[in-house]
């Protein structure tokens, strides 16, 4: 079971599975391979002046994965996949500070992060579930753990306007749900709300599938990406109907973090190809058209992103520098600021 592994072993095995087994075979599973002209990865890998550094993260082996911005004051939170540390960067800060130390509440990883409308920070631990914290005090308010035995990988999450959280599991190919009523109860089992196993494009055994997830600002549907096949799935929150979004101009191979704006702009981080893409999603969420691609090696394996007016903050994971994607020595860990995405 993944949840029984020690953090160091978990970093090597589970993320390596997500970023290699879950991504490289995609050329066989997706109609448009990463090398095809229709794929975002086909863009030239040249430095882009629109990419700069927003702030640094203290530590030699941070390997950050998740990011979230508090909508009230634009404080930014970043999670370390290596040990579960959660960092905080206040507006204007050039260096983040530790907000939740490594191992807080038994947390091994901190990959999916979101701040809800009431200022509560949600942090997923891929080995177990999700915890919710008060951003003012750092006190844990609630926690939910996946029920049942077997492999799991709780990955990313989104929060709908009514306060319900939805979380992807990259191994079980399900979407979990935490309602406001369950949040008020404080703890419990993290239970599936939607099962997408029969809906996903077949992929090699051991591949990771569901990764980033976002919700329609009007609360009508969810969008969840299959990083291996490059597909985007739509879940109707009123009827429960599952469908595949029609993509035009490219695919979502290697897609990790997603960010959906109220105007239908979907921003995507493609980790293994150092690529960011921008899409226009139709009002009903059934179609998406590629409108911009930025590929730059200085993105250093981007995993997740958070858009604010004027720029997009992107996590530079450096997973290929002594992390789960390759040998080497990382440089200073930073968060990128990208203009024009």
């Amino acid at each position: 079971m993944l949840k029984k592994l020690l953090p160091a072993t978990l970093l090597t095995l589970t993320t390596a599975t997500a970023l290699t087994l879950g991504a490289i075979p995609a050329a066989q599973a997706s109609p448009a391979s990463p090398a095809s002209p229709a794929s975002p990865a086909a863009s030239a890998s040249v430095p882009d002046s629109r990419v700069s550094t927003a702030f640094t993260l203290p530590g030699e082996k941070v390997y950050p994965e998740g990011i979230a911005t508090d909508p009230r004051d634009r404080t930014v939170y970043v999670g370390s996949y290596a040990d579960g540390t959660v960092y905080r960067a206040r507006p204007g800060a050039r260096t983040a500070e530790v907000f939740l130390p490594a191992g807080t509440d038994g947390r091994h990883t901190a990959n999916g992060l979101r701040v809800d409308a009431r200022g509560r920070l949600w942090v997923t631990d891929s080995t177990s579930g999700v915890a919710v914290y008060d951003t003012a005090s750092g006190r844990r308010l609630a926690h939910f753990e996946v029920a049942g035995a077997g492999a799991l990988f709780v990955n990313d999450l989104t929060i709908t306007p009514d306060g319900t959280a939805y979380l992807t599991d990259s191994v079980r190919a399900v979407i979990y749900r935490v309602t406001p009523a369950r949040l008020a109860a404080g703890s419990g089992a993290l239970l599936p709300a939607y099962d997408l196993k029969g809906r996903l494009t077949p992929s090699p055994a051991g591949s990771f599938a569901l990764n980033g997830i976002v919700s329609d600002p009007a609360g009508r549907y969810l969008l969840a990406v299959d990083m291996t096949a490059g597909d985007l799935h739509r879940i109707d929150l009123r009827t429960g109907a599952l469908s595949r979004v029609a993509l035009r101009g490219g695919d979502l191979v290697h897609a990790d973090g997603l960010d959906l704006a109220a105007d239908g702009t979907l921003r995507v981080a493609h980790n293994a190809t150092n690529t960011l893409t921008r899409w226009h999603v139709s009002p009903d969420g059934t179609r998406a058209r590629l409108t911009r691609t930025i590929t730059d090696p200085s993105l250093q394996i981007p995993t997740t992103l958070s858009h604010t007016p004027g720029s997009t903050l992107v996590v530079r994971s450096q997973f290929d520098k002594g992390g789960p994607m390759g040998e080497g020595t990382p440089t200073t860990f930073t968060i990128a600021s990208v203009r024009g995405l």
Side-chain angles (χ1 to χ4, degrees), residues 101 209 238 250:
R238 183 178 61 85

Side-chain angles (χ1 to χ4, degrees), residues 166-168 173-177 192-194 196 210 213 222 224 235:
Y166 293 89
L167 309 91
T168 57
V174 300
I175 296 176
Y176 304 109
R177 176 171 56 203
Y194 303 102
L196 278 72
L210 298 181
I213 185 170
L222 307 173
I235 301 94

Side-chain angles (χ1 to χ4, degrees), residues 7 80 82-87 98-110:
S80 166
D83 60 16
T85 300
V86 176
Y87 300 88
V98 173
F99 175 60
L100 300 175
T104 302
D105 301 316
R107 185 177 56 256
H108 293 304
T109 72

Side-chain angles (χ1 to χ4, degrees), residues 53-118:
T53 296
F55 57 86
T56 64
L57 301 168
E60 296 181 355
K61 294 186 177 181
V62 178
Y63 297 109
E65 211 283 344
I67 188 169
T69 301
D70 190 328
R72 304 170 305 165
D73 61 7
R74 296 196 181 181
T75 296
V76 180
Y77 298 87
V78 180
S80 166
Y81 188 77
D83 60 16
T85 300
V86 176
Y87 300 88
R88 176 175 61 190
R90 301 185 187 277
R94 300 300 296 172
T95 301
E97 61 184 355
V98 173
F99 175 60
L100 300 175
T104 302
D105 301 316
R107 185 177 56 256
H108 293 304
T109 72
N111 39 308
L113 276 68
R114 296 282 178 177
V115 179
D116 65 24
R118 295 181 59 182

Side-chain angles (χ1 to χ4, degrees), residues 66-78 86-89 99 112-124 130-136 141 156-161 163-165 183 215 259 305-306:
I67 188 169
T69 301
D70 190 328
R72 304 170 305 165
D73 61 7
R74 296 196 181 181
T75 296
V76 180
Y77 298 87
V78 180
V86 176
Y87 300 88
R88 176 175 61 190
F99 175 60
L113 276 68
R114 296 282 178 177
V115 179
D116 65 24
R118 295 181 59 182
R120 296 170 298 201
L121 175 65
W122 296 66
V123 182
T124 66
V130 64
V132 185
Y133 292 90
D134 175 33
T135 53
L141 304 174
D156 207 351
L157 77 155
T158 188
I159 302 172
T160 56
T164 301
L183 176 61
S215 50
D259 183 285
L305 69 173
S306 177

Side-chain angles (χ1 to χ4, degrees), residues 10 34 45 138 152 167 176 180 201 232 256 279-280 287 318 340:
L10 185 76
S45 296
L152 71 151
L167 309 91
Y176 304 109
T201 299
L232 188 63
D256 197 327
W279 302 72
H280 176 71
R287 303 178 309 281
Q318 296 196 68

